[in-house]
Amino acid sequence: LVEVKEHLSKINNILRRGEEGTPKRALVRKKYSDHNVQRTHGDDERANDISRSMFETMTTFPECVDRLFEHCVGIINRDLRRLGLATIEMVVHEKRNMNQANYNKVVIVTNEEASTVVGRAGDGIVTYPYQWDDSILGGRFLGVDGKWNCLNTSPEDCCATIKQSVPNPDTKGKYVECHIFVPFGGVGNRRRDDRIFVNLSSDGRVHEAPIIT
């Protein structure tokens, strides 16, 4: 608990310095944003809530967007030192493209319980951004303009619907497959404070804000 309080104090100090001119750190607290450590002193139950809420806090690095990866690493290392996070794992992903081995996978985003499809925008819509080079029907966009409506369905049922709509392999012999993604903090994908994700475009630039989660 002492370590949690010290960590929160460091983050609040950084935010105050940011308001005075230091480059701001984008801190997004999904829950417990009204917590005040001093107010909860002596309240063990509420203090425990604060401890758990540390895993609901995500730190992003918006200054990295559109910068080359090497420049982004410098920004991240600088800000990690300010946050007091010396040891952290950096996971780098390249933005999806048709040349990757998993090009045939449709990503299905679920809720945290992995029981229902929510989609990237929360509307239950699942998308596949590429044209499918169907070995029988020729090149075409899948679903309806590359989309399936899986609102209020299970990820398994959604995947079955997608596969039924694409029965043929492509010209490389691959069939459509599903990749079920559970949000960070959900079942089997716990949130961590020692890992940062960086997504790169094909030109080596960061195409969205890296995130600690």
Short mmCIF file of all heavy atoms in Angstrom, two decimals, residues 1 4 46-55:
data_model
loop_
_atom_site.label_atom_id
_atom_site.label_comp_id
_atom_site.label_asym_id
_atom_site.label_seq_id
_atom_site.Cartn_x
_atom_site.Cartn_y
_atom_site.Cartn_z
N LEU A 1 0.83 -1.21 0.00
CA LEU A 1 0.00 0.00 0.00
C LEU A 1 0.86 1.26 0.00
O LEU A 1 0.55 2.23 -0.67
CB LEU A 1 -0.93 -0.02 1.21
CG LEU A 1 -1.86 1.19 1.37
CD1 LEU A 1 -2.73 1.31 0.12
CD2 LEU A 1 -2.71 1.06 2.62
N VAL A 4 2.06 1.89 -3.42
CA VAL A 4 0.99 2.43 -4.26
C VAL A 4 0.82 3.92 -4.03
O VAL A 4 0.70 4.71 -4.96
CB VAL A 4 -0.33 1.69 -3.97
CG1 VAL A 4 -1.50 2.40 -4.63
CG2 VAL A 4 -0.25 0.27 -4.48
N ARG A 46 -11.15 1.14 1.57
CA ARG A 46 -11.05 2.07 0.45
C ARG A 46 -9.60 2.14 -0.05
O ARG A 46 -9.35 2.29 -1.24
CB ARG A 46 -11.53 3.45 0.88
CG ARG A 46 -11.76 4.41 -0.29
CD ARG A 46 -12.61 5.58 0.17
NE ARG A 46 -12.73 6.59 -0.88
CZ ARG A 46 -13.58 6.52 -1.88
NH1 ARG A 46 -14.36 5.46 -2.01
NH2 ARG A 46 -13.65 7.48 -2.79
N ALA A 47 -8.64 2.02 0.88
CA ALA A 47 -7.24 2.01 0.47
C ALA A 47 -6.94 0.81 -0.41
O ALA A 47 -6.16 0.90 -1.37
CB ALA A 47 -6.34 1.99 1.71
N ASN A 48 -7.55 -0.32 -0.10
CA ASN A 48 -7.37 -1.49 -0.93
C ASN A 48 -7.95 -1.27 -2.32
O ASN A 48 -7.42 -1.75 -3.32
CB ASN A 48 -8.03 -2.72 -0.29
CG ASN A 48 -7.23 -3.24 0.90
OD1 ASN A 48 -6.03 -3.03 0.97
ND2 ASN A 48 -7.90 -3.91 1.82
N ASP A 49 -9.06 -0.52 -2.40
CA ASP A 49 -9.63 -0.18 -3.70
C ASP A 49 -8.64 0.63 -4.52
O ASP A 49 -8.51 0.45 -5.73
CB ASP A 49 -10.93 0.61 -3.53
CG ASP A 49 -12.10 -0.27 -3.11
OD1 ASP A 49 -11.97 -1.50 -3.26
OD2 ASP A 49 -13.10 0.27 -2.63
N ILE A 50 -7.94 1.54 -3.88
CA ILE A 50 -6.94 2.34 -4.58
C ILE A 50 -5.83 1.45 -5.11
O ILE A 50 -5.36 1.61 -6.24
CB ILE A 50 -6.35 3.43 -3.64
CG1 ILE A 50 -7.43 4.44 -3.28
CG2 ILE A 50 -5.18 4.12 -4.31
CD1 ILE A 50 -6.95 5.49 -2.32
N SER A 51 -5.40 0.50 -4.28
CA SER A 51 -4.36 -0.43 -4.73
C SER A 51 -4.80 -1.19 -5.97
O SER A 51 -4.05 -1.32 -6.93
CB SER A 51 -4.04 -1.41 -3.60
OG SER A 51 -3.06 -2.33 -4.01
N ARG A 52 -6.02 -1.70 -5.96
CA ARG A 52 -6.52 -2.43 -7.13
C ARG A 52 -6.67 -1.51 -8.32
O ARG A 52 -6.49 -1.91 -9.47
CB ARG A 52 -7.86 -3.09 -6.79
CG ARG A 52 -7.75 -4.27 -5.83
CD ARG A 52 -9.06 -5.02 -5.77
NE ARG A 52 -10.12 -4.22 -5.18
CZ ARG A 52 -10.38 -4.20 -3.88
NH1 ARG A 52 -9.67 -4.93 -3.04
NH2 ARG A 52 -11.36 -3.46 -3.41
N SER A 53 -7.01 -0.25 -8.07
CA SER A 53 -7.25 0.68 -9.18
C SER A 53 -5.98 1.01 -9.96
O SER A 53 -6.04 1.52 -11.07
CB SER A 53 -7.88 1.98 -8.67
OG SER A 53 -6.91 2.81 -8.06
N MET A 54 -4.80 0.72 -9.38
CA MET A 54 -3.57 0.98 -10.11
C MET A 54 -3.53 0.20 -11.41
O MET A 54 -2.93 0.62 -12.39
CB MET A 54 -2.36 0.60 -9.24
CG MET A 54 -2.11 1.52 -8.07
SD MET A 54 -1.94 3.24 -8.57
CE MET A 54 -0.50 3.13 -9.62
N PHE A 55 -4.21 -0.94 -11.44
CA PHE A 55 -4.23 -1.74 -12.66
C PHE A 55 -5.29 -1.22 -13.63
O PHE A 55 -5.44 -1.75 -14.72
CB PHE A 55 -4.48 -3.21 -12.32
CG PHE A 55 -3.30 -3.84 -11.65
CD1 PHE A 55 -3.22 -3.90 -10.28
CD2 PHE A 55 -2.25 -4.35 -12.40
CE1 PHE A 55 -2.12 -4.46 -9.65
CE2 PHE A 55 -1.13 -4.90 -11.79
CZ PHE A 55 -1.08 -4.95 -10.40
#
